[in-house]
Structure formats: structure tokens, C-alpha cells
């Protein structure tokens, strides 16, 4: 009987340590406070596309893909134009001048906007691209598409329209 008591105590202590550590860690997620959008806040806009190139190591291997993140300045310009027409947010020229980053992700027929904190942008976009971590850290996610006629103008117009509706329709 004397052997089981210390063994049970060790198991109990180990369980307490594991629970404490699990509660303290956020699985790598950014613990950001919810942002309340207000008129006059500044946003930094970044638009990008993920492009996949075939990675050919040998003549027989053509199915492996490599991903490349490419800035899309045209999409950034179109989203910026719509945000400026709205006159709710200020556009920051540098990330350091912004209250948050509006990250625009484009593909062939859809567009996604993420309003994210600056720290998450630096950690999960600039340092190591991790779209899931960016989505976890986002204050808001806005998704349009797929569209049958997915022109950049139509996608960006609808994205900003959805963003505007969700921001202005929030009740205090």
C-alpha cells in the first residue's frame, strides 16, 4: 500500500503540470484583443497571390509543387481606392503607422480579406507564411467568390462592400 500512494501523488502532480502548461499555451496562436473598428483608424493594405510552380528535381518527378507568395500591387491599389472612397479608415503608408493590417489574398476567382494585428502580420506573413495562423489572429475575415466573371475590379469592389457592411452594421 505504501508504494501506491507516492505513485498516485506523482501522477496527480504530473496531471496538474500538464493542465497548467496546456492552459497557458495558446497552441502558437496570437492572443490578440478583439478590435473594435472606429472611424479614423488607420490600416495598412497588403495584397498577395500564392502561385504554385512545378518543382522538377528529376525528369521523372513533375508532380511536386513549390509555392511562391507574390505581392499584387494592382489588387492593393483597387482595394485602397475603394477604402479611400468610403472615407471611414485612413490608409497608412507604412505598417508602423497603422492600427491594423488589411491582408488581401487572391486566387483565380475569389478574394479574401483579413483584418489582422501588426504583430500577427510580422510573425505569420513576413517571417514565416502561415495562413491558418493569420486567420486565427484576424479581427475579421471577409470572403467573396468564386465569381463567374472574376475581374479584379469586381472582386475588390465586393470585398470592400462586404467589409464596409460588417464594420458599419455592428451594434455597440
Amino acid at each position: 500500500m505504501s508504494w501506491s500512494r507516492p505513485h498516485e501523488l506523482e501522477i496527480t502532480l504530473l496531471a496538474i503540470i500538464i493542465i497548467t502548461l496546456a492552459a497557458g499555451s495558446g497552441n502558437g496562436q496570437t492572443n490578440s484583443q478583439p478590435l473594435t473598428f472606429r472611424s479614423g483608424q488607420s490600416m495598412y493594405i497588403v495584397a498577395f497571390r500564392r502561385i504554385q510552380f512545378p518543382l522538377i528535381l528529376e525528369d521523372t518527378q513533375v508532380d511536386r509543387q513549390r509555392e511562391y507568395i507574390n505581392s499584387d500591387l494592382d489588387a492593393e491599389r483597387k482595394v485602397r481606392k475603394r477604402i479611400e472612397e468610403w472615407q471611414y479608415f485612413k490608409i497608412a503608408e507604412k505598417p508602423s503607422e497603422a492600427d491594423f493590417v488589411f491582408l488581401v489574398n487572391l486566387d483565380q476567382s475569389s478574394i479574401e480579406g483579413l483584418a489582422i494585428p501588426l504583430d500577427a502580420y510580422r510573425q505569420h506573413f513576413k517571417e514565416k507564411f502561415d495562413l491558418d495562423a493569420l486567420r486565427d489572429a484576424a479581427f475579421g475575415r471577409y470572403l467573396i467568390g468564386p465569381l463567374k466573371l472574376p475581374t479584379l475590379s469586381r472582386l475588390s469592389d465586393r470585398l470592400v462592400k462586404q467589409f464596409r457592411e460588417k464594420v458599419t452594421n455592428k451594434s455597440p
Side-chain angles (χ1 to χ4, degrees):
M1 283 253 204
S2 63
W3 181 80
S4 67
R5 281 280 185 218
H7 185 64
E8 289 175 9
L9 181 63
E10 289 173 0
I11 291 174
T12 304
L13 287 173
L14 183 60
I16 291 170
I17 291 170
I18 290 172
I19 290 170
T20 304
L21 289 174
S25 70
N27 295 329
Q29 296 176 4
T30 305
N31 292 329
S32 60
Q33 296 296 322
L35 180 70
T36 303
F37 294 113
R38 297 176 317 277
S39 179
Q41 284 179 308
S42 59
M43 69 162 49
Y44 182 69
I45 301 170
V46 177
F48 72 96
R49 291 180 188 264
R50 291 187 328 193
I51 302 169
Q52 292 188 344
F53 295 106
L55 179 63
I56 302 172
L57 299 175
E58 297 177 7
D59 292 336
T60 58
Q61 285 185 325
V62 291
D63 59 329
R64 296 182 66 191
Q65 297 284 321
R66 147 178 94 145
E67 206 169 58
Y68 177 71
I69 306 300
N70 189 28
S71 295
D72 193 320
L73 297 177
D74 192 29
E76 187 176 316
R77 182 182 57 81
K78 290 186 184 304
V79 169
R80 179 185 180 128
K81 180 181 175 187
R82 295 295 177 236
I83 295 289
E84 287 173 341
E85 288 172 357
W86 177 17
Q87 298 181 351
Y88 190 81
F89 293 108
K90 296 177 197 170
I91 305 298
E93 297 299 325
K94 299 186 267 186
S96 60
E97 298 172 349
D99 294 314
F100 66 97
V101 175
F102 193 66
L103 191 62
V104 179
N105 177 9
L106 293 117
D107 72 5
Q108 299 298 327
S109 62
S110 301
I111 191 169
E112 171 186 40
L114 298 170
I116 58 173
L118 290 171
D119 291 339
Y121 169 72
R122 288 185 180 110
Q123 182 180 5
H124 302 299
F125 186 77
K126 297 301 285 179
E127 292 176 13
K128 179 185 172 196
F129 183 78
D130 185 349
L131 190 57
D132 290 333
L134 287 165
R135 287 176 177 152
D136 279 343
F139 301 126
R141 181 177 184 214
Y142 314 92
L143 188 61
I144 302 297
L147 300 181
K148 291 182 182 178
L149 295 171
T151 65
L152 187 52
S153 292
R154 290 183 72 209
L155 288 167
S156 59
D157 288 350
R158 289 187 183 189
L159 175 67
V160 173
K161 181 180 177 185
Q162 184 186 81
F163 180 52
R164 182 178 180 167
E165 288 171 355
K166 287 189 177 182
V167 167
T168 57
N169 286 341
K170 285 187 179 179
S171 56

